[in-house]
Amino acid sequence: MNEKVVAMLLAGGQGSRLKSLTYDIAKPAIPYGGKYRIIDFPLSNCTNSGITTVGVLTQYQPHALHRYIGLGTPWDLDRHKGGVTMLPPYAEIDGIKWYAGTASAIYQNINFLTSCEPDYVLILSGDHIYKMDYEKLIEYHKEKQADVTISVLEVPWEDASRFGLVDTDDDMNVIEFSEKPENPKSNLASMGVYVFDWKKLESYLEDDNNIEESTHDFGKDILPKMLSDHKKMVAYPFKGYWKDVGTVDSLWEANMDLLNPSAGLVLHDPAWRIYSSNPQLPPQVITDSGRVQGSMVNEGCVISGTVRHSVIFQNVLIEKDAVVEDSVVMSGTKIGRGAHLSRVIVPPDVTVPENYRLLEPAKGITLLTQDLIDSWKESGQQ
Amino acid sequence: MTLMAAVDASVKVAGLQDLTIHRSVSSIPFAGRYRLIDFALSNLVNADINSVGIFASQPFGSLIDHIGVGKSWDLDRRKEGLFFLPTTHQNGGIATVGSFRDFEEHLQFFEKSRQTHVVVTSSFVAGQLDYKEMLAHHLASGKDITEAVGASGSLKSYILSRRLMLELIRSYREKRILSIEDLVNLKKAPYSYGVYEYKGYFAIIDSIQQYFKESLGLLDENNRRLLFLPQAPIYTKVKDEPPTRYLDGSNVSNSMMANGSTILGNVKNSIISRAVTIGINASLDSCIIMQKCTIEENCELAYVIADKDVYIEKGVKLIGTPERPIVLRKGERVTKEDSQ
């Protein structure tokens, strides 16, 4: 690419439906896939797409993210020119300005963008799991001579009303944009991935900032306004795996998708690696009594029990006669002898006692917190 | 009192030829995801030694690729850090550790240093040597040179003052000594020699038999516990491999598995390195499989060491013995016809 692209990665989300998993970290920092955090996906997509200037906008519980991303070394973003820049809200003469919406987050970093002198700005979300070549998207944007390009994905009609939907003509020109409509007219969902011509975006952000009743959101304010001004807005049809993990159940599903080759997300792909911060741990060990089937296991684990159809993060200890099935076990957790876990997500650093059983197996997926375990202990079940 | 270190990665080890055609002993893969030199380097940095010279002779391409600027060991420093110091030897160096000729070629490394003492260490020993403790012992003993010795012999690691090191480099020809190891073994006058007793785990990799035995020895939990200490990690070059996949129908027991592999077959008593594929119904017992190997379906392997990038076609049967494991060289392709 000769033109300069700057990616702005929105990573301030709380993800409150993920319960205690996001009490002290932002949603993009949630562990996923045995060794990753969700934000590794858009960051690695940038690296693999040749985008070397990335701003990461943080707000909710930013410390884990700032620390995790650091200088951007795991993603090759520690560069002399460009690289990664963390962009939390900041104070200026007229006070502290929190990010009120997705568009205001970008607006408040206009100085950063201006200093980068981009031709195009790529807006990304830090909490989606997918592999995408952004270079192709930007080529498409140029080819179509669009002012803004929205990456879209076909979703099942019954789920369509959960998304921002775009309706297009045969040339993929967007004719309508509706945010979570009750009666969807289209099943093309916006992935929250947009390419803007920087100069156009800049003027729309300036205007939007002066509109008092605006919610300063791309989906609700900026895009509808551009459409009503007859700016050229096109949809880019993305094909492939894409997941927005908003709930404990969908986080579990996204992990299980890794165990199902037909789900379409392959991590064992040397041509499109997902980069991550790698802790220095010894290889995993499956002991004499260990049995592992249909699962993924990361470094530093010692498995002496039975693991079926599960995703096991680094440094997990599963003792003899323990059974883990259809579950996600996050790093540093220890599962005692004879414990039986099924359809759970175990957060990091939990100790599951010997012979533990779920008190009331829930219909959905249980987030097996230390609190839940402590109440089991108090109930004297063991 | 502060330490600098000279790591001898040029020493010639005759018994490992099949694994050293394309690399030096120091970069032989070990324990699934490491190279032998990782242990020496990690021991050094865990003792806060930030000035490390690696003395290397050809072929060192693989070693340079592994070490880079030393980032994985936190040795990419403004001041001091990692020094890659190639020597002009052809076909490897001498057979003992700490060649003065090598050191002489890079005399400045020792002259310019601000440290008071020097660690000289080999690059084919895996252990958890605590150099802070060894230095304290050395200073208390008042000896000129201290050697680390464990239950089964020397770890080939030495501490001496930088001043003595410079004196030895300038006078080794007239003294007719080749290396630090030589000097210590011959106990040449007028120097005094001390021993630091090392009590932990260590493995000396100086023959294929030792390599095989010590590799599989890591399946013993006690050995692992002594080698992989949470407070003293072994650092290595990061590869960004995803977690290892165990597919339905696979059966793995008593094995050490690095990341990035895909296992469909049966594995027991083995060490499997990164990004290895083991096909359906393949059976491995007591094997060491290095990175990026492919073992196709219905293979039967026992007592086999497969170097990097080995490809074993379906139905191949290779059975070695514990004393004489079969060694497949880097990049070798084995067909069913070959193995009959």
Side-chain angles (χ1 to χ4, degrees):
Chain A
M1 279 181 281
N2 297 320
E3 292 86 351
K4 186 164 180 196
V5 180
V6 173
M8 295 294 268
L9 184 46
L10 298 161
Q14 179 182 355
S16 53
R17 286 173 302 155
L18 285 153
K19 302 177 188 169
S20 68
L21 283 174
T22 55
Y23 283 176
D24 52 11
I25 56 172
K27 189 171 154 195
I30 287 181
Y32 168 75
K35 73 173 275 193
Y36 306 94
R37 290 177 188 262
I38 294 173
I39 199 169
D40 288 336
F41 286 80
L43 282 175
S44 300
N45 287 343
C46 285
T47 307
N48 289 323
S49 305
I51 294 171
T52 55
T53 305
V54 181
V56 179
L57 298 107
T58 59
Q59 178 156 279
Y60 174 79
Q61 288 286 11
H63 296 120
L65 265 182
H66 284 230
R67 201 189 160 123
Y68 180 67
I69 292 171
L71 300 173
T73 309
W75 306 273
D76 252 352
L77 290 170
D78 50 336
R79 300 289 185 108
H80 287 284
K81 284 186 186 169
V84 72
T85 305
M86 301 306 287
L87 301 168
Y90 57 91
E92 50 185 27
I93 291 278
D94 21 332
I96 299 178
K97 291 182 177 163
W98 296 106
Y99 299 155
T102 50
S104 86
I106 305 295
Y107 171 75
Q108 286 176 49
N109 288 291
I110 270 188
N111 288 343
F112 167 75
L113 277 165
T114 307
S115 73
C116 295
E117 300 177 325
D119 298 295
Y120 304 107
V121 175
L122 177 65
I123 308 291
L124 302 171
S125 170
D127 44 16
H128 296 156
I129 299 164
Y130 64 117
K131 300 199 294 189
M132 179 174 180
D133 189 343
Y134 301 137
E135 196 175 346
K136 285 188 184 150
L137 167 69
I138 287 153
E139 284 307 318
Y140 179 91
H141 174 84
K142 282 194 265 183
E143 246 174 63
K144 293 275 184 185
Q145 298 182 312
D147 297 312
V148 52
T149 301
I150 303 172
S151 186
V152 297
L153 175 87
E154 253 184 69
V155 294
W157 278 98
E158 60 268 28
D159 296 341
S161 59
R162 287 174 34 219
F163 296 94
L165 299 176
V166 298
D167 202 2
T168 65
D169 65 15
D170 292 345
D171 290 330
M172 294 308 278
N173 291 305
V174 176
I175 45 183
E176 199 183 335
F177 190 94
S178 43
E179 191 65 23
K180 297 180 187 167
E182 271 177 42
N183 301 306
K185 279 191 229 163
S186 147
N187 67 335
L188 287 180
S190 163
M191 297 160 63
V193 173
Y194 316 115
V195 186
F196 288 94
D197 279 23
W198 166 231
K199 286 294 161 199
K200 300 253 166 46
L201 175 62
E202 189 180 19
S203 75
Y204 272 88
L205 289 173
E206 302 271 11
D207 293 349
D208 178 71
N209 184 56
N210 296 325
I211 300 170
E212 215 156 282
E213 59 274 22
S214 171
T215 57
H216 309 300
D217 187 86
F218 279 107
K220 290 184 196 128
D221 306 290
I222 303 283
L223 295 174
K225 180 77 171 68
M226 286 180 88
L227 203 57
S228 69
D229 290 351
H230 303 291
K231 293 291 163 196
K232 187 164 171 71
M233 183 182 295
V234 297
Y236 172 79
F238 171 78
K239 289 199 168 54
Y241 185 91
W242 181 86
K243 191 127 187 158
D244 177 4
V245 287
T247 62
V248 171
D249 281 25
S250 66
L251 178 63
W252 178 84
E253 273 164 31
N255 276 284
M256 293 301 120
D257 284 344
L258 291 171
L259 305 176
N260 173 11
S262 62
L265 181 62
V266 180
L267 297 177
H268 285 62
D269 178 5
W272 201 272
R273 276 197 198 284
I274 304 304
Y275 300 100
S276 186
S277 165
N278 289 270
Q280 294 273 6
L281 296 169
Q284 56 200 274
V285 174
I286 317 295
T287 69
D288 258 335
S289 58
R291 287 290 171 271
V292 183
Q293 295 264 302
S295 297
M296 281 176 80
V297 182
N298 196 10
E299 288 165 342
C301 290
V302 178
I303 313 286
S304 302
T306 298
V307 177
R308 282 191 293 262
H309 199 247
S310 295
V311 175
I312 314 292
F313 283 68
Q314 67 271 19
N315 260 343
V316 169
L317 213 66
I318 300 181
E319 291 188 344
K320 216 176 158 182
D321 301 322
V323 177
V324 176
E325 55 189 8
D326 302 315
S327 293
V328 178
V329 183
M330 292 182 180
S331 62
T333 281
K334 190 182 158 195
I335 299 175
R337 267 176 184 249
H340 193 124
L341 303 181
S342 180
R343 294 170 65 79
V344 296
I345 293 181
V346 191
D349 302 316
V350 167
T351 301
V352 178
E354 285 185 13
N355 300 317
Y356 178 84
R357 295 276 191 291
L358 273 185
L359 280 182
E360 295 159 39
K363 207 171 159 214
I365 301 305
T366 306
L367 186 62
L368 191 59
T369 56
Q370 197 69 55
D371 287 352
L372 207 60
I373 288 165
D374 292 345
S375 69
W376 179 81
K377 280 186 189 161
E378 281 156 23
S379 74
Q381 293 276 327
Q382 61 269 54
Chain B
M1 299 291 124
T2 53
L3 287 168
M4 64 187 293
V7 179
D8 185 345
S10 83
V11 67
K12 197 187 263 180
V13 183
L16 287 162
Q17 273 145 357
D18 282 325
L19 300 177
T20 55
I21 299 164
H22 305 284
R23 58 166 88 89
S24 66
V25 172
S26 59
S27 64
I28 291 178
F30 187 67
R33 66 186 290 269
Y34 304 96
R35 303 291 181 130
L36 281 176
I37 199 168
D38 292 343
F39 297 90
L41 290 179
S42 300
N43 287 181
L44 294 169
V45 300
N46 285 334
D48 300 327
I49 300 171
N50 305 322
S51 174
V52 178
I54 297 177
F55 292 79
S57 56
Q58 291 282 6
F60 50 57
S62 145
L63 181 62
I64 290 184
D65 176 51
H66 182 69
I67 303 287
V69 294
K71 196 164 191 65
S72 296
W73 300 268
D74 220 0
L75 286 171
D76 52 332
R77 302 286 183 109
R78 292 250 190 257
K79 268 191 189 165
E80 304 192 315
L82 183 90
F83 299 86
F84 194 85
L85 306 169
T87 66
T88 52
H89 285 303
Q90 294 297 314
N91 310 315
I94 62 168
T96 53
V97 170
S99 156
F100 289 118
R101 217 201 93 178
D102 290 1
F103 294 162
E104 188 182 33
E105 283 191 52
H106 298 283
L107 187 61
Q108 282 207 335
F109 171 65
F110 299 101
E111 280 180 338
K112 280 188 164 177
S113 173
R114 299 171 301 147
Q115 320 299 334
T116 59
H117 286 73
V118 184
V119 170
V120 177
T121 184
S122 67
S123 55
F124 55 90
V125 176
Q128 277 286 3
L129 194 47
D130 181 341
Y131 288 111
K132 279 188 180 169
E133 203 182 287
M134 184 169 165
L135 176 65
H137 177 92
H138 172 78
L139 295 172
S141 74
K143 304 284 192 199
D144 291 320
I145 303 179
T146 297
E147 176 186 22
V149 177
S152 55
S154 171
L155 277 81
K156 311 210 176 186
S157 287
Y158 310 88
I159 289 182
L160 65 164
S161 70
R162 188 168 62 91
R163 183 193 46 74
L164 176 55
M165 181 60 135
L166 287 168
E167 181 185 316
L168 289 168
I169 297 170
R170 290 184 180 120
S171 63
Y172 77 98
R173 288 177 206 272
E174 59 198 79
K175 289 197 170 81
R176 300 178 152 283
I177 41 169
L178 288 172
S179 66
I180 297 272
E181 186 180 351
D182 255 10
L183 180 72
V184 170
N185 288 345
L186 297 169
K187 304 240 171 342
K188 282 252 184 185
Y191 307 115
S192 59
Y193 301 86
V195 163
Y196 166 72
E197 220 178 299
Y198 170 74
K199 295 198 178 67
Y201 163 91
F202 74 109
I204 299 180
I205 310 300
D206 56 3
S207 67
I208 290 287
Q209 287 70 29
Q210 271 293 103
Y211 178 77
F212 188 72
K213 182 178 144 244
E214 296 293 0
S215 293
L216 296 189
L218 291 173
L219 297 174
D220 182 334
E221 192 187 344
N222 294 320
N223 289 340
R224 279 203 314 275
R225 200 167 276 168
L226 292 168
L227 183 57
F228 299 114
L229 305 172
Q231 71 276 22
I234 306 300
Y235 301 97
T236 190
K237 183 184 176 188
V238 153
K239 292 279 187 179
D240 290 292
E241 295 288 354
T244 280
R245 286 184 295 184
Y246 300 83
L247 278 81
D248 283 328
S250 68
N251 189 355
V252 178
S253 69
N254 193 37
S255 295
M256 197 173 201
M257 319 286 294
N259 264 1
S261 292
T262 302
I263 315 293
L264 294 95
N266 308 297
V267 179
K268 64 177 176 183
N269 312 323
S270 295
I271 311 274
I272 309 294
S273 196
R274 301 196 252 219
V276 167
T277 303
I278 296 177
I280 293 174
N281 279 329
S283 286
L284 278 70
D285 184 1
S286 306
C287 290
I288 297 160
I289 309 296
M290 297 187 200
Q291 60 266 46
K292 294 185 188 162
C293 284
T294 300
I295 293 154
E296 287 193 333
E297 60 203 71
N298 299 320
C299 286
E300 191 185 341
L301 310 181
Y303 306 103
V304 170
I305 299 172
D307 201 337
K308 199 176 163 181
D309 293 321
V310 163
Y311 197 104
I312 303 181
E313 291 185 5
K314 57 181 149 195
V316 167
K317 186 174 174 181
L318 293 171
I319 312 290
T321 66
E323 296 74 32
R324 292 183 69 88
I326 293 169
V327 183
L328 303 171
R329 292 181 174 184
K330 187 179 164 191
E332 213 171 310
R333 191 177 180 103
V334 187
T335 65
K336 203 169 175 185
E337 290 71 43
D338 292 338
S339 67
Q340 278 163 354

